[in-house]
Every structure is written in structure tokens, then in C-alpha cells.
Amino acid sequence: MTKEEADNGRDDMVIDVPGQANAVPDGFNANYLRIYYGKLFPHADMFKWMSYGNDGKHPGCDKSYFGRREFSFTLENDIYIRFQSFNSVTELENSIKEKCPFKIDIGPVYSVDPAKRHAYAQSGDNVFTPVERELVFDIDISDYDDVRYCCTGADVCLECWPLMTIAIKVIDTSLRDDFGFNHILWVYSGRRGVHCWVCDGKARRLTNEQRAAIADYFHVYKGNENSQKKISLPGLVLHPFLARSYTEVLKGFFEAKLLPNQNLLASEERYEKILEMIPDASVASELRRRWQENKRASMSKDDINIVRWEQLKSILQSGKQKMQGLRRCVEEIVFSYTYPRLDMEVSRHMNHLLKAPFCVHPKTGRVCVPIDPNNCDEFDPTTVPTLSQIWAHNSCDVFTWQLLEELNRGGLRQDAENEWDRTSLGESVAFFRTSFLQPLLKSCKEEIENSYNAKLQQSKNDLSW
Amino acid sequence: MEVFQSHRKSSSNNVIVSILPFYRSAPPLEVRLEDFEFFAMDRLRVLKGISDGLCRGKKPEEMEKLVVDLWKANMRHPQAVEEVNKDIISHFVLRLVYCRTEELRKWFLSMETTLFRHRFRLESSEAQRALMSEFKLPYKAVSNAEFESVKDKLGQVARSMGQNLPAADAIFYKVPFEEVPDLVSGRRVFIHKGHAYVAMNQVVSLVVTQFRSYISKALILTNRKWTSTIREQEKDRLTPIVEALCTSYLGPDYSQPQEFGEISIKDIDQVAKTSFPLCMRHLFEKVKEDHHLKHGGRMQLGLFLKGVGLKLDDALAFWKAEFAPKVSAERFDKEYAYNIRHNYGREGKRTDYTPYSCQKIISVTPGIGDHHGCPYRHFSEENLRAALVRMGVSSRAVEDVMDKVHNRHYQLACTLTFEAVHGSSCDAGINHPNQYFIDSQRVLQSKNGSVA
């Protein structure tokens, strides 16, 4: 079919296709999900990722690897099925298309195919146990409700989203510089947070104890509604990780963005929360007195928050302050507002299930797209494609639609790639491939080869007399 | 078989630098059967002492002192060779004893690791370095050049912990961060590109992790050997000793009530509800209900109360009052008072009887009309469940307890009950009703700031 014919055909198609921009309902819709899985969900890419190079092409490949990975599906009506496993991309794809899960979770790689787990014991010799699992992190903006006044709960806007951005920066830098990890995927969770998948071989093979250690290394914010002081930074100086996070990310963000945007010192209710964190009551009173006298924005044209923050810093950091607890008070305040608040439990255990990238969030209809940590300032959760938008966009262009079908059936075709690019989702998939998947697979192949060669060498050595 | 090297000599003085063994292989020595048992029991006292210390929440400095005291009291020998041999032999015997179930392995691993950690810390840094190389840890000391490049960061880490800056000639080891999870966890090391820079004094962490991992694997192997060959082969010689060792009660006898001093009659009702183990609660409830207890029950409960701190006069008053509806004052004085005074060592051969341990209580079988013995062993499932619920054990915890009961681990069942009721863990496990009482009071006291 030529493009002309397609264009002419489009007029006939309009009536059938429920794709008029006005008529498309917002957000999530089970029918759209079915089409999404049918046409757009990157099954092949997910398969390649989860195979970690074990595609059978090299003699060192582990053919059972993909089949030992647990997936779990949440179906319509909250029916939850665990321990799903597949032996090929076709099995994976067919199952997803058939069951049309509202949510797909990825679990660990087990010692044996999860479908056969009942034949194995829980302890002793013949065991069913996780053997590999990405190191994962989950950050949810609703954990920051006490420091954002623009939204609460599940809502997110461009004023408060930057809290997620700086969390990504702090954690990503540390994972790479401190821990030496390279293959890191950040994903928008679809509504109000981000997930992080660390996929290096070393990361996948970490024990629960090691995962807990990394989570604890990142654990600085310790609190709940009941604890007064949630950040405690004792010691004469900060650990290099905390110092770097502060100077490179947190301080700047707090002073230039969060403070003025959330008006943290503008009203009594809000500045009291900060004054509470100052262990020296006389200092707190002094500031309170000054700010109460100065209720209106004063002579200065500068933002009242910034003015007051400077006053606070100058008192706390002046040489006169000898009191032990004040030494790091300014940093503690900044940390308590901005430092990443991770869900510790998610990271600690190998068997924790986490939502798969490219799923669609049932409440918002938004696709869980990757986020580029090097450009995370540009990421805007409010413009992430939703199911209905994708559908609307695609339904207008049958040609593209057909190409997409080709794409999902077979391999990547050169011209198809350009068409794919045009859709907003296409950009995300492209990013996933070039920034994450390809380097990862390259590294995996190397690992498989090296390991195989080492084994060969070993058996040669063993045989020699 | 590997020849075991028990001495490491330093280059200069021919003095033994360290005698801390890694227990890599069983010693090719001949051991007398009695020593087999005695050595093991001495070591067991050390391990149980450590367990006790941990259970009571002792701080690291206190634990270190405890380990020194325990070792001195139980394992010292004037001749270093003998001491090392006893050390190794006792460890290997206890491996046999404690390899047999997951619970036992976990406990043994935990105690041996703690013991090793403290003993290692007490060694000189030369000795520690020698031990590290023995362990064949593939960690390199950081070169001078590299040290210079990271010196600032290392200094920051030190100061963040309130320590001094590292000296110019300080030795640091570069280690994959996976090997030192507890240092990473507490941000006590500088990490860069996956490597942690570990100070000499933190080296303990490295070695202990290796030790723990090694012993953990060794225990599994030992268990296999035990089940497949040793147990049967040794059924007339070692096996009975091994099986008895695990349950032998080696702890304090609680005949002298210590910390909480006295309990008076008015306190009993309250503490019975909060701090009595099930066996004693049951007896107590029955006394209140029936106004009587048969001999076995009177002994078990009476001695327990003595251990808890009930003075003789109060004890007499207590029993007299409880029995009053059925027994007149004169009959009480004639038939029961004597026995109570006997228990307190005021009559007859003046033996100050000691309260019964769990082992003893479990071993008796109550007859009709009796309420003593161990309820985990003797109660019907239905009654036991009801009793646990009355104690405030959650339904999930009840299942765990019942699971232990079905497997005949009565003391573990009681331990789980303790943990469920108090919301805190008891690593040592319950071995004695008075221990249950004291630990319970401790937990409650730390929660409320006063004896409940």
C-alpha cells in the first residue's frame, strides 16, 4: 500500500476507529491496554534484558536462565498470580497478550524454574531459592508529604517533582562513583515516584546482607510522624558521600528551588518546623523574634525565604556557636528536606517483586518510561504518554500502526525505526535500547565469554599431569 | 590429614605470637573420652555465657570483658599447647553437637563468631596481620601513592566518626565492598568504584566475615557426615555424649535471687501475669483455683518462687492463704509448713534446694491431678493453644509455637512464647523458668523504667 492509498483509506477508516481526539477518554482503559500489549509493549527488548546475554549463541550461555525468572501478573479485579515463568520471548509475549495484566512485576532468578518449585525443599540440599536479582530502589514522593505544600499523597506537580530529580542524582552518582556500578536503569513509576534497577552482574549476585548494607549506606533520613529529629549528622565532618551529595546537589537545590518554591520560611507555621530542628532554644527564639517582627516582605526585593535562610545560616555558622549539636545544624535541615527517602524494605531482599518498566499505571494510564539520569532535570511526569494519548496518536496514522505491528512481530527494520521514533513512546524505547540495553548486553557477553574461557583453561589445567 | 599448626612464631623472639585457631581441620590427636565430654562442656559454658550476655543486651566493651572472663574461667591452661588443643577439640566436638538442626547451627555460628570476634580484637596488630595472611584474604595493602591520592577522603571518614586523622604511615587495605557489609552499612569506610578502604583497626570485620562464612559451610558438611556415618558408627561411644551435651543445663541455678531482690506477696499476682513462664503460670492459676496443689506442683512452683525472691516468711504466708479454704491453719502448720521450710534449707539436712531447670521439668510426667511438668509437652493441643492465647500470644505466633511443639522442641516453644509476649528476641533460648522470669523483668523494666 502506498502512502497515497493509505491517506485515502484513512477517510474511510475514521468512522471505524474510535480515535477522535475529543472522544478518547483520559488515562487508563482495559481495551487500550490490550492494544498496547499487542502493538507497543517492547516484549523483545524485555526478553533480551532479562536474558542478560544468555541467548544461546555462545556455548557458555545458560539456556535455563530466562526460564528461572519469576514474573507476577496482577489481572483485572486484583487477581494476583505469582511464580509465572517463560522459556522464550514468544511464551512471554503470548502470556502477556492473553492475560492482559494490569501490572507486571519482576522477581528474582531462582535456582530452578519457579513453575517446578514444589518439587524442591525450602532448606537443606535441594533448594528453591533466589540466586540472582537486580539491586533495586523505590522512591515515592508521598514519603515527602511533610516537606511539600503544593501536593499531597498521590499528586505530583512540577513544583515538587524536583525532589525526585535530586534523589536520582544523589543515588545515581553514588552507585556509579562509590560502588562502581555501570548498568543502571531509572524508571518513572507511573504516578508519583521512581524505581532504580542496578543490573551489573555484581549487583545481581549480591546477598541480602550486602543489599541491606547498601540500603543502610543510603539510609540517612530516619523518621516517621512521631520522631522529631529525622536526620542526625554527628561527627566533626560529613562522610565523603554525604559531603558530596550536599555540595553538589542538595544545598543548591534547597537554597535556589525548594526554599522559595515551597515558601518554607514565609509563614509561621512553616518556619516553626525548621526552628524545631535547632537544638539551641536561644538561637531559635532569636530567629523567631526577628521573623515575627518582620512579617511583611521588608525593604529587600529578595525573596523572604532566602533572606531569612541567610539570617539563619549566619547565626548558626558563626564562630560564636560552640554548642555541639549546632555544628551540623544547617546541613541537617537541608538534608531533612531534600535527602532521598528510600523504601528500605524494597532493596533489602532478593525476593522483593518490583513493577516492570513499560507497564502502564492503572490509576493514571501513564507508561512507566525510563528516565535519563544525566538529563533528569528535563523529565516532566506530567507529559509522560498515557495509554489514551498513545492510542489517539497512533490511530490517526494507520501506516505507522502497521509498521508498529511489523516491529513487534519481527526484528527491527531500518525504516521502521524512524517511524517508531515519531511516537513519544518510541523515544523512550530508543533510549532504553541505546543507553541501557546495548551496553548491558555487550558487557554480559564479555562476561559469559570470559567465564567460559576461564572454565576451559581450568579444565585444561586439571587434565594436565 | 592436614597437620595442624597451633603455633605461629614471630621472627624475633621465638615467642608465640598468637594462638587463635581457625578450626580448619580436626586435630589428629588422641582424645580421652572423658576429655571429649569435659572439654566440650567447658566451651559450652563459654558459649552460653556469651549467649546470655547478648540476650541481656550487653554493650561491646562489656562483652569483651565477659569473653575474657569466661575464657579464663573455663578454658585456660597453664601450658599453651594444652590450651590450644582444648580449644580446638572442644570446638570440633560442639560442631557435632550443634550441626544437627538449623536452629542449633544458627546459635552455634552466632556464638562462635562473637567469641572469635572478641578474641581477635584482643590480639596485637602484628598477630592480627599474621592471622589475616593465614586466612589468605586476597586484600592488598594500599600503596603509598594511592594512599596519598585518597588521604583526604580517608581523613574525612575518620573525622566523621570522631577519630583522629590517619597517620602518614597508616596501613589501609583495599577490599571489594561486598566483603565488609557492616562497615559499608555504617558509612565507616571510604568507598570508591566498588572498593572499600579499610583501616587496620577495622580489619576485624573482614576476618570475622570470613570466619563466619567458613564455619557456616563447615557445619553443613559436618551435619551430612554426622547423619550419614558418624552417628551410627559412634552409637555406643560418642553419640550418646553428643546428644546429651546439647540439652545439659550449665547455667546459673537461680537458688540465690539476685537483681530483683525480693518479691513480696502483693507483687506476686502482678508478676505472675507478666513474667511467669507458662508452666508456672499454670501452677499459680491452679493454686488460686483449687486452693491446693499436689507435691510435684508445690515443689516446682515453690522453688521457682524462692528463686524469684519470695522470702521464707512470705512463702509460708502465701501457701497458707491459698490453701486456707481447704486446709486449716493448724493442719497447714503440721503438714505443709515443714516442707516449705525444708525447701529453704531450714530443716533436715539443710540443703538449699535449687529451682528446677527446664530440662528437669520436661523430664517429669505429671499424673492425674498433677499440674506440674512442662505444658508444652503435656498439654493437649487445644489446651495449649488456649493457654497461649490467654497469655497474649498472637495467632501467628501460636502457630510457630505449635510447630516447635510438634517437633518436640519444648524449650524453643517457650522461647518463642517469650518473644511473642514481650516483643523482643531471646537469642539464648529459655533453659530455666527463673531465667524466663528475670529476662522478662528486664525487658519490662527497660520499657517502663520500673519493675512491673
Side-chain angles (χ1 to χ4, degrees):
Chain A
M1 197 193 268
T2 67
K3 191 156 193 314
E4 237 169 352
E5 285 168 11
D7 280 344
N8 291 336
R10 206 201 301 172
D11 290 335
D12 294 336
M13 295 291 278
V14 163
I15 303 160
D16 293 331
V17 165
Q20 302 281 17
N22 314 336
V24 170
D26 226 349
F28 187 84
N29 179 299
N31 291 324
Y32 295 163
L33 186 64
R34 193 165 290 282
I35 299 170
Y36 176 76
Y37 283 140
K39 312 233 172 279
L40 293 173
F41 182 84
H43 301 275
D45 296 90
M46 297 296 282
F47 171 75
K48 282 190 196 143
W49 172 23
M50 291 285 122
S51 300
Y52 285 97
N54 288 297
D55 54 10
K57 289 193 185 130
H58 189 280
C61 285
D62 177 353
K63 299 225 184 89
S64 74
Y65 188 85
F66 182 72
R68 291 186 280 119
R69 167 82 67 170
E70 177 190 1
F71 294 86
S72 77
F73 291 168
T74 308
L75 310 178
E76 203 162 359
N77 301 326
D78 281 337
I79 299 170
Y80 183 60
I81 40 179
R82 268 197 76 174
F83 296 113
Q84 302 296 291
S85 59
F86 313 102
N87 290 315
S88 66
V89 61
T90 322
E91 273 185 39
L92 172 73
E93 188 173 341
N94 288 343
S95 185
I96 292 178
K97 285 180 180 171
E98 185 214 335
K99 298 192 166 80
C100 197
F102 277 26
K103 185 159 86 102
I104 303 174
D105 287 304
I106 301 177
V109 178
Y110 283 92
S111 49
V112 292
D113 183 340
K116 306 198 176 96
R117 67 191 180 281
H118 295 299
Y120 294 85
Q122 283 304 314
S123 61
D125 275 3
N126 223 6
V127 184
F128 173 67
T129 189
V131 293
E132 277 194 21
R133 204 273 189 279
E134 296 75 6
L135 174 64
V136 292
F137 298 95
D138 180 349
I139 309 175
D140 188 324
I141 208 167
S142 62
D143 286 339
Y144 292 76
D145 280 355
D146 61 314
V147 297
R148 54 177 190 147
Y149 297 100
C150 48
C151 306
T152 52
D155 298 327
V156 136
C157 68
L158 286 178
E159 294 294 311
C160 53
W161 179 259
L163 286 165
M164 295 289 99
T165 306
I166 55 167
I168 294 177
K169 286 185 188 173
V170 167
I171 303 293
D172 189 75
T173 307
S174 183
L175 287 171
R176 288 175 206 274
D177 290 356
D178 300 344
F179 291 99
F181 294 125
N182 295 310
H183 302 286
I184 302 174
L185 178 71
W186 289 92
V187 185
Y188 174 52
S189 74
R191 190 162 62 151
R192 62 189 191 198
V194 295
H195 295 160
C196 176
W197 298 77
V198 185
C199 303
D200 297 54
K202 271 200 335 175
R204 301 195 315 267
R205 291 184 283 268
L206 290 170
T207 62
N208 286 348
E209 189 190 8
Q210 289 158 344
R211 284 160 210 266
I214 299 176
D216 285 336
Y217 180 84
F218 289 137
H219 197 197
V220 181
Y221 180 85
K222 296 173 188 187
N224 52 38
E225 317 83 65
N226 299 325
S227 44
Q228 183 92 319
K229 202 154 184 264
K230 297 166 193 191
I231 296 266
S232 179
L233 300 174
L236 305 168
V237 303
L238 295 179
H239 182 279
F241 158 60
L242 300 178
R244 178 190 65 215
S245 304
Y246 182 71
T247 49
E248 287 182 13
V249 181
L250 303 179
K251 176 177 196 285
F253 171 74
F254 179 81
E255 292 185 347
K257 297 268 160 59
L258 196 66
L259 188 58
N261 291 351
Q262 297 286 342
N263 282 306
L264 295 177
L265 290 173
S267 69
E268 183 173 340
E269 188 201 336
R270 296 196 190 176
Y271 66 58
E272 272 307 321
K273 279 176 60 167
I274 293 186
L275 290 179
E276 263 169 19
M277 296 188 210
I278 302 177
D280 184 330
S282 60
V283 169
S285 316
E286 168 64 24
L287 288 166
R288 190 179 288 116
R289 189 187 57 77
R290 268 200 235 177
W291 297 343
Q292 273 169 351
E293 283 170 13
N294 231 341
K295 279 209 175 101
R296 295 166 181 281
S298 60
M299 291 76 75
S300 162
K301 287 261 174 67
D302 293 330
D303 185 293
I304 190 176
N305 297 288
I306 295 182
V307 167
R308 287 180 173 174
W309 180 247
E310 289 304 317
Q311 289 172 349
L312 185 151
K313 275 204 294 187
S314 106
I315 287 197
L316 283 176
Q317 288 173 342
S318 85
K320 295 190 216 141
Q321 300 304 345
K322 297 293 177 202
M323 185 183 165
Q324 189 72 353
L326 287 183
R327 240 192 272 252
R328 301 261 79 81
C329 191
V330 173
E331 285 95 329
E332 282 175 357
I333 294 173
V334 173
F335 269 78
S336 63
Y337 275 84
T338 59
Y339 183 85
R341 303 178 185 188
L342 307 174
D343 185 338
M344 291 288 137
E345 283 317 300
V346 167
S347 310
R348 279 189 214 280
H349 298 287
M350 281 177 99
N351 53 14
H352 192 102
L353 292 155
L354 192 64
K355 183 162 66 177
F358 296 106
C359 274
V360 179
H361 198 296
K363 299 223 170 69
T364 60
R366 295 208 193 271
V367 180
C368 301
V369 293
I371 300 176
D372 181 356
N374 295 326
N375 277 323
C376 49
D377 288 314
E378 321 274 308
F379 181 80
D380 180 352
T382 61
T383 61
V384 169
T386 64
L387 261 190
S388 47
Q389 285 166 3
I390 296 175
W391 171 244
H393 189 167
N394 287 329
S395 66
C396 297
D397 195 329
V398 176
F399 187 55
T400 310
W401 190 3
Q402 285 184 330
L403 278 168
L404 291 172
E405 209 160 336
E406 296 282 351
L407 265 172
N408 274 310
R409 232 184 277 139
L412 220 54
R413 291 183 343 185
Q414 198 50 44
D415 41 8
E417 193 134 16
N418 297 329
E419 295 300 332
W420 182 263
D421 281 346
R422 280 208 271 139
T423 68
S424 46
L425 187 59
E427 279 168 19
S428 293
V429 176
F431 170 77
F432 178 79
R433 285 178 188 160
T434 50
S435 296
F436 170 72
L437 190 58
Q438 280 155 16
L440 172 65
L441 291 179
K442 180 157 176 279
S443 159
C444 287
K445 296 271 187 197
E446 276 166 19
E447 215 180 291
I448 291 176
E449 261 180 51
N450 291 339
S451 160
Y452 182 72
N453 291 337
K455 282 204 188 105
L456 275 183
Q457 195 58 40
Q458 181 70 24
S459 51
K460 279 196 195 136
N461 292 343
D462 289 342
L463 284 172
S464 64
W465 297 97
Chain B
M1 198 183 282
E2 250 179 78
V3 174
F4 184 77
Q5 312 233 332
S6 54
H7 311 302
R8 271 163 283 269
K9 304 207 170 149
S10 87
S11 46
S12 40
N13 312 351
N14 248 14
V15 164
I16 294 168
V17 173
S18 133
I19 50 173
L20 186 57
F22 291 163
Y23 314 109
R24 253 200 287 257
S25 57
L29 302 163
E30 273 193 13
V31 187
R32 295 184 309 167
L33 209 55
E34 299 137 35
D35 286 341
F36 189 86
E37 189 173 0
F38 294 149
F39 286 178
M41 288 181 73
D42 284 340
R43 191 186 192 88
L44 199 49
R45 282 196 185 85
V46 175
L47 296 184
K48 290 208 169 170
I50 291 175
S51 180
D52 201 50
L54 291 174
C55 201
R56 286 156 202 274
K58 282 199 195 287
K59 300 197 206 83
E61 317 83 62
E62 297 172 311
M63 283 305 295
E64 200 160 281
K65 176 164 189 313
L66 178 64
V67 166
V68 169
D69 292 342
L70 285 167
W71 193 264
K72 215 160 70 169
N74 294 292
M75 300 292 289
R76 263 286 132 82
H77 197 288
Q79 285 174 285
V81 180
E82 295 300 324
E83 185 170 329
V84 172
N85 285 343
K86 180 172 172 179
D87 186 354
I88 299 168
I89 291 167
S90 60
H91 172 90
F92 277 94
V93 174
L94 288 183
R95 262 200 219 178
L96 284 176
V97 177
Y98 283 90
C99 71
R100 294 169 297 141
T101 72
E102 180 73 27
E103 311 267 0
L104 293 176
R105 286 195 291 268
K106 200 169 143 198
W107 184 84
F108 182 70
L109 185 63
S110 188
M111 299 312 132
E112 281 284 339
T113 305
T114 307
L115 175 62
F116 181 82
R117 177 184 298 121
H118 289 286
R119 287 178 75 196
F120 184 83
R121 283 165 63 110
L122 292 164
E123 297 283 342
S124 70
S125 42
E126 272 167 7
Q128 286 177 345
R129 240 179 302 169
L131 283 166
M132 267 181 77
S133 64
E134 275 256 350
F135 245 131
K136 297 198 179 50
L137 295 175
Y139 307 136
K140 299 220 150 168
V142 167
S143 68
N144 282 334
E146 196 177 354
F147 179 71
E148 285 302 313
S149 70
V150 293
K151 206 170 60 166
D152 284 337
K153 296 283 186 325
L154 298 177
Q156 265 186 287
V157 175
R159 294 194 73 217
S160 78
M161 296 191 286
Q163 290 171 6
N164 293 328
L165 292 173
D169 60 346
I171 298 184
F172 276 79
Y173 285 86
K174 199 167 155 186
V175 162
F177 79 86
E178 294 94 325
E179 305 280 340
V180 286
D182 37 340
L183 294 178
V184 169
S185 184
R187 288 192 294 273
R188 296 202 292 276
V189 279
F190 172 60
I191 314 179
H192 183 65
K193 293 292 181 201
H195 285 97
Y197 289 77
V198 182
M200 195 63 212
N201 64 12
Q202 294 172 318
V203 142
V204 184
S205 183
L206 289 173
V207 181
V208 171
T209 309
Q210 289 291 323
F211 178 82
R212 192 193 171 90
S213 156
Y214 167 71
I215 299 289
S216 177
K217 293 188 191 120
L219 280 172
I220 307 266
L221 289 173
T222 307
N223 185 34
R224 275 195 214 142
K225 272 208 274 192
W226 171 260
T227 1
S228 61
T229 46
I230 307 179
R231 182 174 58 194
E232 184 54 36
Q233 258 171 27
E234 290 293 335
K235 71 176 193 288
D236 297 321
R237 205 172 60 137
L238 296 184
T239 305
I241 298 179
V242 165
E243 287 177 347
L245 268 170
C246 168
T247 54
S248 64
Y249 183 70
L250 297 167
D253 58 19
Y254 298 102
S255 55
Q256 303 305 323
Q258 293 151 358
E259 333 249 337
F260 298 100
E262 300 149 28
I263 297 281
S264 68
I265 299 193
K266 61 177 170 51
D267 299 330
I268 298 186
D269 280 322
Q270 179 57 29
V271 297
K273 283 203 199 74
T274 59
S275 299
F276 279 15
L278 184 57
C279 51
M280 302 303 172
R281 251 176 93 106
H282 179 63
L283 284 167
F284 190 76
E285 279 169 18
K286 283 297 169 189
V287 155
K288 294 260 171 199
E289 212 179 285
D290 299 340
H291 304 292
H292 192 257
L293 261 191
K294 290 175 116 182
H295 180 257
R298 292 200 305 274
M299 288 300 282
Q300 190 175 307
L301 181 60
L303 288 172
F304 171 74
L305 290 174
K306 186 177 82 153
V308 152
L310 193 66
K311 292 218 159 324
L312 175 59
D313 292 332
D314 280 346
L316 288 165
F318 168 74
W319 290 105
K320 194 167 189 170
E322 294 303 328
F323 283 8
K326 290 196 175 159
V327 178
S328 71
E330 297 116 348
R331 195 155 77 94
F332 181 86
D333 289 334
K334 235 178 12 173
E335 295 180 25
Y336 296 96
Y338 178 88
N339 278 324
I340 296 169
R341 284 202 300 277
H342 201 276
N343 285 348
Y344 280 72
R346 307 294 171 86
E347 300 283 359
K349 57 183 170 140
R350 313 275 160 146
T351 315
D352 203 4
Y353 286 95
T354 57
Y356 299 159
S357 67
C358 287
Q359 199 186 345
K360 182 150 181 184
I361 292 174
I362 291 172
S363 67
V364 307
T365 307
I368 301 188
D370 280 329
H371 298 293
H372 60 287
C374 178
Y376 296 99
R377 184 169 170 215
H378 294 293
F379 275 23
S380 69
E381 173 148 349
E382 202 179 297
N383 286 347
L384 184 54
R385 280 175 184 273
L388 291 171
V389 167
R390 271 205 312 279
M391 273 180 92
V393 179
S394 73
S395 44
R396 219 179 112 199
V398 169
E399 292 313 314
D400 292 337
V401 171
M402 293 315 295
D403 183 64
K404 294 283 177 256
V405 168
H406 293 142
N407 287 314
R408 300 209 215 112
H409 301 311
Y410 307 117
Q411 286 168 251
L412 294 176
C414 191
T415 308
L416 284 181
T417 305
F418 179 95
E419 292 181 351
V421 167
H422 295 82
S424 71
S425 73
C426 179
D427 288 327
I430 299 294
N431 295 312
H432 198 296
N434 287 89
Q435 174 209 352
Y436 184 107
F437 178 81
I438 290 178
D439 290 349
S440 167
Q441 289 286 292
R442 247 185 241 278
V443 170
L444 294 169
Q445 188 179 50
S446 70
K447 279 188 190 160
N448 304 337
S450 62
V451 174

